[in-house]
Protein backbone atom coordinates (compact mmCIF):
# COMPACT_ATOMS: atom_id res chain seq x y z
CA UNK A 1 0.00 0.00 0.00
CA UNK A 2 2.81 2.38 0.72
CA UNK A 3 3.20 3.26 -2.96
CA UNK A 4 -0.23 4.82 -2.91
CA UNK A 5 0.79 7.04 -0.06
CA UNK A 6 4.16 8.14 -1.33
CA UNK A 7 3.27 8.98 -4.93
CA UNK A 8 5.23 12.01 -5.98
CA UNK A 9 3.35 14.67 -7.89
CA UNK A 10 4.65 17.74 -9.57
CA UNK A 11 2.46 20.78 -9.76
CA UNK A 12 1.12 23.58 -7.68
CA UNK A 13 -1.38 23.29 -4.85
CA UNK A 14 -4.49 23.79 -6.98
CA UNK A 15 -3.39 21.04 -9.33
CA UNK A 16 -2.50 18.63 -6.54
CA UNK A 17 -5.84 19.29 -4.85
CA UNK A 18 -7.65 18.00 -7.93
CA UNK A 19 -5.31 15.24 -9.06
CA UNK A 20 -2.97 13.94 -6.34
CA UNK A 21 -3.75 10.33 -5.48
CA UNK A 22 -6.53 10.23 -8.05
CA UNK A 23 -5.46 8.82 -11.40
CA UNK A 24 -8.32 7.81 -13.70
CA UNK A 25 -9.88 4.61 -12.35
CA UNK A 26 -7.90 1.62 -13.63
CA UNK A 27 -11.00 -0.53 -14.27
CA UNK A 28 -13.25 2.00 -16.07
CA UNK A 29 -11.34 5.18 -16.80
CA UNK A 30 -13.70 7.13 -14.53
CA UNK A 31 -12.07 10.54 -14.04
CA UNK A 32 -13.34 10.76 -10.48
CA UNK A 33 -12.23 8.13 -7.97
CA UNK A 34 -15.25 5.86 -7.47
CA UNK A 35 -16.84 5.22 -4.09
CA UNK A 36 -15.60 1.70 -3.41
CA UNK A 37 -18.45 0.83 -1.07
CA UNK A 38 -17.05 -2.56 -0.18
CA UNK A 39 -15.75 -4.33 2.92
CA UNK A 40 -13.77 -7.27 1.50
CA UNK A 41 -11.87 -8.29 -1.64
CA UNK A 42 -11.57 -11.54 -3.62
CA UNK A 43 -8.23 -13.23 -3.14
CA UNK A 44 -6.50 -15.12 -5.96
CA UNK A 45 -5.60 -18.13 -3.89
CA UNK A 46 -5.06 -17.87 -0.15
CA UNK A 47 -3.16 -14.67 0.60
CA UNK A 48 -3.05 -13.61 -3.08
CA UNK A 49 -4.24 -10.03 -3.04
CA UNK A 50 -5.03 -8.52 -6.47
CA UNK A 51 -4.85 -4.83 -5.74
CA UNK A 52 -3.22 -5.01 -2.34
CA UNK A 53 -6.58 -4.76 -0.60
CA UNK A 54 -7.99 -7.37 1.75
CA UNK A 55 -10.41 -5.65 4.17
CA UNK A 56 -11.66 -2.06 4.19
CA UNK A 57 -10.73 -1.21 7.79
CA UNK A 58 -7.12 -1.86 6.80
CA UNK A 59 -7.40 -0.06 3.46
CA UNK A 60 -10.05 0.92 0.94
CA UNK A 61 -9.28 2.38 -2.51
CA UNK A 62 -11.42 5.49 -2.02
CA UNK A 63 -9.78 6.19 1.32
CA UNK A 64 -6.35 5.47 -0.16
CA UNK A 65 -6.95 8.14 -2.80
CA UNK A 66 -7.90 10.68 -0.12
CA UNK A 67 -4.94 9.71 2.06
CA UNK A 68 -2.49 10.20 -0.82
CA UNK A 69 -4.14 13.51 -1.61
CA UNK A 70 -3.88 14.70 2.00
CA UNK A 71 -0.20 13.78 2.11
CA UNK A 72 0.47 15.71 -1.10
CA UNK A 73 -1.41 18.82 0.03
CA UNK A 74 0.42 19.01 3.36
CA UNK A 75 3.75 18.15 1.73
CA UNK A 76 4.01 15.01 3.87
CA UNK A 77 4.87 11.39 3.17
CA UNK A 78 1.89 9.75 4.79
CA UNK A 79 -1.73 10.80 5.12
CA UNK A 80 -4.36 8.93 7.10
CA UNK A 81 -8.12 9.53 7.05
CA UNK A 82 -10.35 8.99 10.07
CA UNK A 83 -14.02 8.99 11.00
CA UNK A 84 -13.66 12.41 12.68
CA UNK A 85 -11.05 14.94 13.74
CA UNK A 86 -11.20 13.63 17.29
CA UNK A 87 -10.72 10.05 16.08
CA UNK A 88 -7.55 11.25 14.33
CA UNK A 89 -6.37 13.00 17.50
CA UNK A 90 -7.12 9.91 19.61
CA UNK A 91 -5.15 7.69 17.23
CA UNK A 92 -2.21 10.07 17.31
CA UNK A 93 -2.18 10.37 21.10
CA UNK A 94 -2.46 6.63 21.69
CA UNK A 95 0.33 6.05 19.17
CA UNK A 96 2.88 8.51 20.55
CA UNK A 97 2.05 8.64 24.29
CA UNK A 98 2.37 6.15 27.15
CA UNK A 99 1.48 6.37 30.85
CA UNK A 100 3.81 8.81 32.61
CA UNK A 101 4.19 11.07 29.58
CA UNK A 102 3.33 14.75 29.58
CA UNK A 103 1.99 17.06 26.89
CA UNK A 104 1.87 20.83 26.54
CA UNK A 105 -1.50 22.01 25.25
CA UNK A 106 -2.53 25.50 24.18
CA UNK A 107 -4.60 27.85 26.33
CA UNK A 108 -6.93 28.26 23.38
CA UNK A 109 -8.03 25.16 21.53
CA UNK A 110 -11.03 23.36 20.16
CA UNK A 111 -13.15 22.39 23.17
CA UNK A 112 -13.27 18.73 22.15
CA UNK A 113 -9.48 18.59 21.99
CA UNK A 114 -9.29 19.92 25.54
CA UNK A 115 -11.93 17.41 26.66
CA UNK A 116 -9.95 14.56 25.07
CA UNK A 117 -6.84 15.53 27.05
CA UNK A 118 -8.55 16.42 30.32
CA UNK A 119 -11.24 13.74 30.53
CA UNK A 120 -9.95 10.80 28.52
CA UNK A 121 -6.19 10.76 27.99
CA UNK A 122 -5.49 11.93 31.54
CA UNK A 123 -7.21 8.82 32.93
CA UNK A 124 -4.54 6.74 31.20
CA UNK A 125 -1.77 8.43 33.15
CA UNK A 126 -0.81 11.17 30.69
CA UNK A 127 -0.47 14.60 32.30
CA UNK A 128 -0.82 17.94 30.57
CA UNK A 129 0.01 21.59 31.15
CA UNK A 130 -1.64 24.57 29.53
CA UNK A 131 0.58 27.20 27.92
CA UNK A 132 0.06 30.27 25.80
CA UNK A 133 1.60 28.83 22.63
CA UNK A 134 1.95 32.31 21.10
CA UNK A 135 4.60 32.88 23.81
CA UNK A 136 7.72 30.81 23.07
CA UNK A 137 9.13 31.35 26.56
CA UNK A 138 5.89 30.13 28.13
CA UNK A 139 6.04 26.96 26.05
CA UNK A 140 9.68 26.38 27.00
CA UNK A 141 8.81 26.90 30.66
CA UNK A 142 6.00 24.32 30.46
CA UNK A 143 8.33 21.56 29.23
CA UNK A 144 9.21 18.75 31.63
CA UNK A 145 11.63 15.86 31.30
CA UNK A 146 8.67 13.58 30.54
CA UNK A 147 7.13 15.89 27.90
CA UNK A 148 6.58 14.10 24.58
CA UNK A 149 4.34 16.46 22.63
CA UNK A 150 3.74 20.16 22.14
CA UNK A 151 0.25 20.63 20.72
CA UNK A 152 -0.67 23.82 18.93
CA UNK A 153 -3.64 25.19 17.06
CA UNK A 154 -2.97 28.18 14.84
CA UNK A 155 -5.07 30.15 14.18
CA UNK A 156 -6.79 28.94 17.33
CA UNK A 157 -10.41 28.20 18.05
CA UNK A 158 -12.21 30.46 18.94
CA UNK A 159 -9.84 33.32 19.87
CA UNK A 160 -7.88 33.34 16.58
CA UNK A 161 -4.57 33.36 18.41
CA UNK A 162 -1.50 32.86 16.25
CA UNK A 163 1.52 30.77 17.20
CA UNK A 164 4.88 30.78 15.44
CA UNK A 165 5.13 27.25 14.01
CA UNK A 166 8.79 27.52 12.94
CA UNK A 167 9.85 28.85 16.35
CA UNK A 168 7.87 26.15 18.19
CA UNK A 169 9.42 23.52 15.93
CA UNK A 170 12.80 24.79 17.06
CA UNK A 171 11.79 24.48 20.72
CA UNK A 172 10.43 20.98 20.11
CA UNK A 173 13.52 19.82 18.24
CA UNK A 174 15.81 21.14 20.97
CA UNK A 175 13.77 19.38 23.65
CA UNK A 176 13.43 16.14 21.67
CA UNK A 177 9.63 16.31 21.65
CA UNK A 178 7.13 16.26 18.80
CA UNK A 179 5.30 19.33 17.55
CA UNK A 180 1.71 18.63 16.52
CA UNK A 181 -0.21 21.34 14.64
CA UNK A 182 -3.98 21.34 14.30
CA UNK A 183 -4.25 22.97 10.87
CA UNK A 184 -8.06 22.87 10.68
CA UNK A 185 -8.62 26.66 10.66
CA UNK A 186 -6.05 27.44 7.98
CA UNK A 187 -6.19 24.34 5.74
CA UNK A 188 -3.06 23.37 3.80
CA UNK A 189 -3.86 25.96 1.14
CA UNK A 190 -3.19 28.76 3.62
CA UNK A 191 -0.53 27.14 5.82
CA UNK A 192 1.78 24.13 5.64
CA UNK A 193 3.07 23.23 9.10
CA UNK A 194 5.30 20.31 8.02
CA UNK A 195 7.38 22.65 5.86
CA UNK A 196 7.78 24.87 8.93
CA UNK A 197 9.14 21.96 10.98
CA UNK A 198 6.06 20.38 12.58
CA UNK A 199 6.09 16.59 13.00
CA UNK A 200 2.39 15.89 12.55
CA UNK A 201 -0.54 17.85 11.13
CA UNK A 202 -4.04 17.20 12.45
CA UNK A 203 -7.26 18.08 10.63
CA UNK A 204 -10.89 18.01 11.24
CA UNK A 205 -11.75 17.48 7.56
CA UNK A 206 -15.33 18.20 8.66
CA UNK A 207 -14.43 21.86 8.29
CA UNK A 208 -12.67 23.57 5.34
CA UNK A 209 -11.37 20.39 3.69
CA UNK A 210 -14.86 18.92 3.29
CA UNK A 211 -16.14 22.46 2.99
CA UNK A 212 -19.86 21.80 2.56
CA UNK A 213 -21.07 20.85 6.05
CA UNK A 214 -22.06 17.41 4.81
CA UNK A 215 -19.45 15.10 6.30
CA UNK A 216 -17.56 14.47 9.55
CA UNK A 217 -13.95 13.37 9.12
CA UNK A 218 -10.41 13.74 10.34
CA UNK A 219 -6.86 13.36 9.14
CA UNK A 220 -3.24 13.01 10.20
CA UNK A 221 -0.29 13.81 7.96
CA UNK A 222 3.37 13.34 8.73
CA UNK A 223 6.63 13.44 6.82
CA UNK A 224 8.21 10.93 9.21
CA UNK A 225 7.90 7.57 7.45
CA UNK A 226 8.43 5.52 10.62
CA UNK A 227 5.84 7.49 12.54
CA UNK A 228 3.55 7.21 9.52
CA UNK A 229 3.79 3.42 9.69
CA UNK A 230 3.11 3.43 13.43
CA UNK A 231 0.08 5.67 12.95
CA UNK A 232 -1.23 3.47 10.14
CA UNK A 233 -0.78 0.42 12.35
CA UNK A 234 -2.82 2.06 15.11
CA UNK A 235 -5.40 3.37 12.65
CA UNK A 236 -6.11 -0.23 11.64
CA UNK A 237 -5.76 -1.62 15.16
CA UNK A 238 -8.17 0.94 16.63
CA UNK A 239 -10.44 1.11 13.60
CA UNK A 240 -11.89 4.64 13.52
CA UNK A 241 -11.37 4.93 9.75
CA UNK A 242 -13.15 7.18 7.27
CA UNK A 243 -15.79 5.22 5.36
CA UNK A 244 -15.65 5.23 1.54
CA UNK A 245 -18.48 7.70 1.01
CA UNK A 246 -17.14 10.07 3.65
CA UNK A 247 -13.65 9.85 2.13
CA UNK A 248 -15.16 10.62 -1.28
CA UNK A 249 -17.05 13.65 0.04
CA UNK A 250 -13.87 15.06 1.59
CA UNK A 251 -11.97 14.48 -1.68
CA UNK A 252 -14.72 16.21 -3.63
CA UNK A 253 -14.54 19.15 -1.24
CA UNK A 254 -10.77 19.41 -1.48
CA UNK A 255 -10.91 19.89 -5.26
CA UNK A 256 -12.27 23.42 -4.70
CA UNK A 257 -10.34 24.18 -1.49
CA UNK A 258 -8.11 26.83 -3.05
CA UNK A 259 -10.90 28.89 -4.62
CA UNK A 260 -13.05 28.55 -1.52
CA UNK A 261 -10.27 29.67 0.84
CA UNK A 262 -9.57 32.71 -1.34
CA UNK A 263 -13.22 33.71 -1.17
CA UNK A 264 -13.57 32.89 2.56
CA UNK A 265 -10.58 35.14 3.21
CA UNK A 266 -11.85 37.97 1.01
CA UNK A 267 -15.33 37.86 2.58
CA UNK A 268 -13.86 37.73 6.08
CA UNK A 269 -11.83 40.86 5.33
CA UNK A 270 -15.07 42.69 4.41
CA UNK A 271 -16.77 41.43 7.57
CA UNK A 272 -13.81 42.56 9.69
CA UNK A 273 -13.98 46.00 8.11
CA UNK A 274 -17.64 46.30 9.16
CA UNK A 275 -17.08 44.97 12.67
CA UNK A 276 -14.07 47.14 13.49
CA UNK A 277 -16.11 50.25 12.67
CA UNK A 278 -19.23 49.13 14.57
CA UNK A 279 -20.08 50.88 17.86
CA UNK A 280 -21.54 47.70 19.42
CA UNK A 281 -18.35 45.71 18.84
CA UNK A 282 -15.59 46.12 21.44
CA UNK A 283 -12.92 43.77 20.01
CA UNK A 284 -12.41 42.09 16.66
CA UNK A 285 -10.17 39.02 16.66
CA UNK A 286 -8.72 38.34 13.21
CA UNK A 287 -5.08 37.64 12.29
CA UNK A 288 -5.42 39.85 9.22
CA UNK A 289 -5.76 42.96 11.39
CA UNK A 290 -2.43 44.81 11.72
CA UNK A 291 -3.15 45.34 15.44
CA UNK A 292 -3.60 41.59 16.06
CA UNK A 293 -0.62 40.52 18.21
CA UNK A 294 0.12 37.60 15.88
CA UNK A 295 -0.36 39.53 12.63
CA UNK A 296 3.26 39.52 11.54
CA UNK A 297 3.71 35.82 12.23
CA UNK A 298 0.44 35.03 10.47
CA UNK A 299 1.55 37.10 7.48
CA UNK A 300 4.81 35.15 7.44
CA UNK A 301 3.38 31.63 7.75
CA UNK A 302 -0.02 31.96 6.05
CA UNK A 303 -0.94 32.74 2.44
CA UNK A 304 -4.09 34.62 3.55
CA UNK A 305 -5.89 35.01 6.88
CA UNK A 306 -8.84 32.68 6.44
CA UNK A 307 -12.56 32.82 7.03
CA UNK A 308 -12.85 32.65 10.82
CA UNK A 309 -13.62 35.87 12.69
CA UNK A 310 -14.46 36.32 16.36
CA UNK A 311 -15.62 39.47 18.08
CA UNK A 312 -16.75 40.70 21.47
CA UNK A 313 -19.99 42.56 21.90
CA UNK A 314 -20.67 45.58 24.11
CA UNK A 315 -23.30 44.57 26.67
CA UNK A 316 -21.80 41.23 27.66
CA UNK A 317 -23.12 37.70 27.38
CA UNK A 318 -26.80 38.53 26.87
CA UNK A 319 -25.99 40.97 24.08
CA UNK A 320 -23.72 38.41 22.40
CA UNK A 321 -26.43 35.75 22.58
CA UNK A 322 -28.94 38.26 21.15
CA UNK A 323 -26.70 38.94 18.14
CA UNK A 324 -26.50 35.19 17.48
CA UNK A 325 -30.25 34.80 17.80
CA UNK A 326 -31.01 37.75 15.49
CA UNK A 327 -28.70 36.62 12.70
CA UNK A 328 -30.48 35.21 9.64
CA UNK A 329 -28.19 34.53 6.68
CA UNK A 330 -25.50 33.66 9.23
CA UNK A 331 -27.03 30.38 10.40
CA UNK A 332 -26.87 29.77 14.15
CA UNK A 333 -24.93 26.57 14.49
CA UNK A 334 -21.76 24.84 15.60
CA UNK A 335 -18.98 23.77 13.25
CA UNK A 336 -17.29 25.92 10.63
CA UNK A 337 -15.56 25.91 7.29
CA UNK A 338 -18.55 25.29 5.03
CA UNK A 339 -19.63 27.39 2.05
CA UNK A 340 -22.49 28.74 4.17
CA UNK A 341 -21.89 31.33 6.88
CA UNK A 342 -22.39 30.29 10.49
CA UNK A 343 -22.59 32.21 13.76
CA UNK A 344 -22.30 30.86 17.27
CA UNK A 345 -21.74 31.71 20.93
CA UNK A 346 -18.64 29.68 21.92
CA UNK A 347 -19.20 30.05 25.69
CA UNK A 348 -22.57 28.30 25.54
CA UNK A 349 -22.01 26.15 22.45
CA UNK A 350 -18.70 24.80 21.07
CA UNK A 351 -16.60 25.64 24.12
CA UNK A 352 -19.04 24.86 26.92
CA UNK A 353 -16.82 21.89 27.85
CA UNK A 354 -13.97 24.32 28.69
CA UNK A 355 -16.06 26.27 31.26
CA UNK A 356 -14.18 26.80 34.49
CA UNK A 357 -10.84 25.75 32.96
CA UNK A 358 -7.84 27.71 31.71
CA UNK A 359 -9.45 27.44 28.27
CA UNK A 360 -12.69 29.17 29.23
CA UNK A 361 -13.69 31.75 26.60
CA UNK A 362 -15.08 35.26 27.19
CA UNK A 363 -18.86 35.28 27.69
CA UNK A 364 -19.33 38.22 25.28
CA UNK A 365 -17.61 36.39 22.42
CA UNK A 366 -19.30 35.62 19.09
CA UNK A 367 -17.62 33.43 16.48
CA UNK A 368 -18.29 33.65 12.75
CA UNK A 369 -17.44 31.17 10.06
CA UNK A 370 -17.66 33.51 7.08
CA UNK A 371 -18.95 31.61 4.06
CA UNK A 372 -18.67 32.28 0.36
CA UNK A 373 -22.06 33.95 -0.19
CA UNK A 374 -22.23 37.53 -1.48
CA UNK A 375 -20.25 39.71 0.92
CA UNK A 376 -22.88 42.46 0.60
CA UNK A 377 -25.60 40.10 1.80
CA UNK A 378 -23.41 38.97 4.71
CA UNK A 379 -22.72 42.55 5.78
CA UNK A 380 -26.42 43.39 5.61
CA UNK A 381 -27.27 40.46 7.87
CA UNK A 382 -24.58 41.33 10.42
CA UNK A 383 -25.70 44.95 10.46
CA UNK A 384 -29.27 43.97 11.31
CA UNK A 385 -28.12 41.35 13.86
CA UNK A 386 -25.99 43.89 15.70
CA UNK A 387 -29.03 46.17 15.81
C1 LIG B 1 -13.92 20.52 14.79
C2 LIG B 1 -12.52 20.58 15.23
C3 LIG B 1 -11.87 19.45 15.74
C4 LIG B 1 -12.57 18.13 15.95
O1 LIG B 1 -12.96 17.55 14.76
P1 LIG B 1 -14.29 16.63 14.58
O2 LIG B 1 -14.28 16.35 13.13
O3 LIG B 1 -15.45 17.44 15.05
O4 LIG B 1 -14.08 15.43 15.43
C5 LIG B 1 -10.53 19.58 16.08
N1 LIG B 1 -9.87 20.74 15.95
C6 LIG B 1 -10.48 21.85 15.48
C7 LIG B 1 -9.69 23.12 15.35
C8 LIG B 1 -11.81 21.82 15.10
O5 LIG B 1 -12.41 22.93 14.66
Amino acid sequence: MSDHHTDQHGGQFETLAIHAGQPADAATGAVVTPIYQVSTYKQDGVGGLRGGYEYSRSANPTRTALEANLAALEGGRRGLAFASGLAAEDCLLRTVLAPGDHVVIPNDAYGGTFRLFSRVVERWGVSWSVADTSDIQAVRAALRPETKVIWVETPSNPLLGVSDIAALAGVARQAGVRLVVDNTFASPYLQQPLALGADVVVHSTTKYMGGHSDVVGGALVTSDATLGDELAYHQNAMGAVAGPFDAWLVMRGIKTLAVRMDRHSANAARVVELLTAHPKVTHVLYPGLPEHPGHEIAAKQMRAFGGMVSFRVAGGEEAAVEVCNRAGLFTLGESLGGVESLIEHPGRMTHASAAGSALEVPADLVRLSVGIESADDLLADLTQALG
Side-chain angles (χ1 to χ4, degrees), residues 204-218:
S204 169
T205 55
T206 312
K207 314 296 168 54
Y208 286 107
M209 303 286 258
H212 296 75
S213 304
D214 54 11
V215 63
V216 171

Side-chain angles (χ1 to χ4, degrees), residues 59-80:
N60 169 282
T62 312
R63 194 175 94 224
T64 300
L66 170 61
E67 291 180 334
N69 186 263
L70 291 164
L73 295 192
E74 287 288 0
R77 294 172 87 150
R78 190 71 179 258
L80 297 164

Side-chain angles (χ1 to χ4, degrees), residues 224-255:
D224 176 335
T226 307
L227 177 61
D229 287 345
E230 285 168 15
L231 290 169
Y233 180 87
H234 282 79
Q235 179 195 40
N236 179 51
M238 288 156 53
V241 296
F245 184 50
D246 288 357
W248 185 88
L249 281 170
V250 173
M251 250 189 312
R252 178 187 167 115
I254 286 173
K255 288 176 194 287

Side-chain angles (χ1 to χ4, degrees), residues 12 61 67 76 118 123 158 171 182 201 214 217 228 273 292 294 298-299 321 377 385:
Q12 300 294 310
E67 291 180 334
S118 64
R123 287 176 50 216
V171 172
D182 184 333
V201 168
D214 54 11
E273 201 182 339
H292 185 290
V321 167
D377 290 340

Side-chain angles (χ1 to χ4, degrees), residues 44-107:
D44 291 331
V46 174
L49 305 180
R50 294 177 178 204
Y53 294 95
E54 62 181 327
Y55 184 60
S56 282
R57 168 164 37 72
S58 309
N60 169 282
T62 312
R63 194 175 94 224
T64 300
L66 170 61
E67 291 180 334
N69 186 263
L70 291 164
L73 295 192
E74 287 288 0
R77 294 172 87 150
R78 190 71 179 258
L80 297 164
F82 293 86
S84 71
L86 282 172
E89 295 184 17
D90 181 40
C91 178
L92 171 61
L93 295 176
R94 284 201 271 166
T95 302
V96 302
L97 298 175
D101 289 344
H102 171 259
V103 295
V104 177
I105 61 172
N107 65 351

